[in-house]
Amino acid sequence: METANILGVRFNAITLDDAVDAAMERIRAGEKGYVVTPNSEIVYLCRKEPALTDLLNRACLVLPDGIGVVYAARLLKQPIKGKVAGIDFAEHLVAQMAREGKSIFFLGAKPGIAELAAKELQKKYPGLVVKGCRDGYYKDDQEAIDAINQAGGADVALICLGAPKQERFMAAYQGQVNATILCGLGGSLDVFAGTVQRAPDIFIKLGLEWFYRLLKEPKRIGRMMSLPKFMLVVLKTKLFGKGAK
């Protein structure tokens, strides 16, 4: 599978459909792994936390969830085919899982949100087997592991704890969790549950989903400042090589 190197993070250079196909092949084969969907904020964070780069690069799929990553790929002449948003990947994966009667577990978000997301997805995709749900408000990681395993495990577990917490969880416990594929998907459960609205299509098509989120949540401005910093590092890397700071 072709990869693209963006500041040390090795993204899979594949389309949304190819990503879903790759995940389903692993599910059918019972081949364990975890999926990450880094945006420019997470890639920039990797410069301060090299261990996070290793966690991302050990994933079975590393998908470019952010227009900033796509722009960086163009500048650095890396073969990323386009943005593969984590929530789009999850929805298409769930649709295919439902057609094949595969099972899923939902972990994360506030109490009640995972259950609501499960209900909405089952309504939309009949045939989807939901093994269980657990909110993200637990004191010890073992509680989350036990919740999944005591539910009988699943073909896929959506780990929606926010980055980089979810990536650390998946990398540390994939061997202990009874699920074939773990997918780190941030705030996706809120969107599936209908409690948070995704950006209108026009914002998504123009690569301005980040701007819509900022309009809805102005307090995100601090986090958003990593985007220009990220692009500055990308530009320096293009001009001066990978050793640019």
Side-chain angles (χ1 to χ4, degrees), residues 9-241:
V9 177
R10 294 191 296 272
F11 287 88
N12 294 107
I14 55 178
T15 65
L16 172 60
D17 289 341
D18 289 340
V20 172
D21 288 344
M24 288 304 303
E25 286 179 11
R26 295 184 74 98
I27 292 168
R28 297 182 194 114
E31 190 175 350
K32 291 175 74 72
Y34 60 94
V35 179
V36 295
T37 59
N39 57 17
S40 54
E41 179 185 345
I42 299 305
V43 177
Y44 185 75
L45 180 61
C46 286
R47 294 179 65 77
K48 297 180 180 179
E49 299 184 27
L52 181 57
T53 303
D54 180 60
L55 297 185
L56 297 178
N57 289 342
R58 284 196 279 122
C60 63
L61 284 173
V62 183
L63 306 178
D65 185 357
I67 196 64
V69 174
V70 176
Y71 289 157
R74 292 174 185 170
L75 277 171
L76 299 173
K77 299 188 182 306
Q78 292 291 311
I80 284 179
K81 297 183 180 354
K83 176 182 174 181
V84 181
I87 192 160
D88 292 331
F89 168 76
E91 178 126 16
H92 283 70
L93 181 63
V94 163
Q96 185 59 39
M97 290 174 63
R99 286 190 283 271
E100 299 186 23
K102 301 298 184 183
S103 62
I104 193 166
F105 189 97
F106 298 90
L107 172 68
K110 296 178 180 178
I113 296 297
E115 288 82 359
L116 184 55
K119 180 180 178 181
E120 292 299 317
L121 286 171
Q122 282 186 303
K123 188 188 307 181
K124 191 172 183 179
Y125 302 109
L128 180 67
V129 179
V130 175
K131 284 297 191 73
C133 303
R134 176 65 165 87
D135 64 71
Y137 288 72
Y138 53 82
K139 295 181 179 179
D140 186 277
D141 288 343
Q142 192 62 46
E143 294 180 40
I145 296 168
D146 290 344
I148 299 171
N149 293 347
Q150 289 171 7
D155 293 303
V156 171
L158 297 191
I159 311 298
C160 302
L161 304 174
K165 181 179 180 180
Q166 62 198 17
E167 286 75 19
R168 293 181 179 129
F169 179 93
M170 294 187 297
Y173 303 120
Q174 64 171 331
Q176 299 177 42
V177 174
N178 184 12
T180 305
I181 297 290
L182 306 178
C183 296
L185 293 168
S188 296
L189 292 183
D190 294 286
V191 178
F192 289 141
T195 57
V196 171
Q197 297 301 312
R198 197 177 177 192
D201 288 344
I202 186 63
F203 282 83
I204 296 173
K205 290 177 181 177
L206 292 175
L208 293 173
E209 191 167 9
W210 63 272
F211 182 63
Y212 178 82
R213 294 179 69 185
L214 180 59
L215 291 176
K216 299 291 287 186
E217 301 177 67
K219 63 183 181 180
R220 294 176 63 90
I221 186 64
R223 292 176 56 184
M224 292 294 184
M225 289 308 295
S226 64
L227 179 55
K229 293 177 181 178
F230 166 79
M231 292 308 299
L232 181 60
V233 173
V234 169
L235 184 58
K236 287 181 178 179
T237 300
K238 178 178 176 61
L239 294 174
F240 306 113

